[in-house]
């Protein structure tokens, strides 16, 4: 055994689909961050950049810069819910950088925005896990056959990561069980 990790074939269209999925997830909780930090558009800019890439734009400096800015915005948030919402936006822009490595950690690039968004929704509802479950159900409905196909090319989500890690693993299992009519 050489310890090498196999590569997964990912087209630019695969990356666009995953990024669009992540952008939709993050967009659903932007108001959580903006309610905490009115006038701070960094997470919204990250989601906008993700949508631009998903719609045919280039994967480049704008995505990296807005993802980094959303991460910095998370650090300025006054509430945990706002922080999670900003991390969802950062994850949406970062989804375009899904690496074609057959590693479980790459699943976070696909599902991170959805899990952070669900966690933000839980926290807004006084840590109500039922709200998180409903949010995950909405996330499942956003998934396209391409997103599920890309996810299934990777190993299952890794352990750890606290509550967000739990949400990633739940979302991972649920998406892998989906089948789409031809």
């Amino acid at each position: 055994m050489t310890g090498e990790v196999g590569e997964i074939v990912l087209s630019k269209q695969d990356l666009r689909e995953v990024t669009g999925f992540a952008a939709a997830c993050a967009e659903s909780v932007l108001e959580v961050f903006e309610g905490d930090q009115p006038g701070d558009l960094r997470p919204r800019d990250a989601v906008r950049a993700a949508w631009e890439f998903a719609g045919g734009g280039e994967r480049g400096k704008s995505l990296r810069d807005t993802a980094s800015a959303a991460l910095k915005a998370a650090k300025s948030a006054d509430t945990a819910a706002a922080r999670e919402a900003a991390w969802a936006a950062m994850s949406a822009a970062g989804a375009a950088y899904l690496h074609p490595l057959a590693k479980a950690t790459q699943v976070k690039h696909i599902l991170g925005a959805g899990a952070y968004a669900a966690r933000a929704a839980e926290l807004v509802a006084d840590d109500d896990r039922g709200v998180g479950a409903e949010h995950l159900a909405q996330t499942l409905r956003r998934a396209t056959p391409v997103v599920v196909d890309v996810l299934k090319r990777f190993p299952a989500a890794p352990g750890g990561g606290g509550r967000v890690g739990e949400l990633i693993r739940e979302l991972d299992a649920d998406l892998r069980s989906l089948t789409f009519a031809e």
Side-chain angles (χ1 to χ4, degrees):
M1 186 162 162
T2 63
E4 291 181 22
V5 175
E7 286 210 7
I8 294 170
V9 175
L10 293 172
S11 70
K12 192 171 262 191
Q13 189 54 40
D14 290 337
L15 294 173
R16 291 184 195 290
E17 287 271 344
V18 167
T19 304
F21 168 73
C25 292
E27 191 171 63
S28 71
V29 293
L30 279 174
E31 73 238 9
V32 173
F33 178 82
E34 292 170 348
D36 182 80
Q37 297 294 310
D40 187 341
L41 298 178
R42 293 176 292 180
R44 184 168 293 280
D45 290 343
V47 172
R48 178 194 43 76
W51 278 122
E52 285 175 8
F53 172 71
E58 288 305 310
R59 185 174 75 162
K61 187 172 176 11
S62 176
L63 279 165
R64 287 188 303 274
D65 289 352
T66 59
S68 177
L71 180 60
K72 289 176 184 167
K75 293 176 184 176
S76 72
D78 291 331
T79 67
R83 207 168 15 263
E84 299 287 342
W87 284 335
M90 180 266 309
S91 294
Y97 292 97
L98 172 63
H99 299 292
L101 302 174
K103 294 176 73 173
T105 54
Q106 290 304 306
V107 171
K108 294 177 192 176
H109 282 290
I110 303 168
L111 304 179
Y116 283 121
R119 184 62 182 141
E122 284 180 347
L123 290 169
V124 165
D126 294 324
D127 208 10
D128 183 341
R129 294 197 176 194
V131 170
E134 177 52 37
H135 206 84
L136 288 185
Q138 292 170 6
T139 300
L140 287 172
R141 290 190 289 275
R142 289 186 185 100
T144 66
V146 172
V147 169
V148 173
D149 176 63
V150 169
L151 177 66
K152 288 179 177 181
R153 295 179 207 168
F154 290 87
R163 179 64 181 146
V164 170
E166 291 173 15
L167 291 164
I168 286 173
R169 286 185 296 280
E170 186 175 333
L171 190 53
D172 182 43
D174 290 346
L175 285 169
R176 287 176 192 273
S177 70
L178 287 180
T179 56
F180 293 92
E182 295 288 326

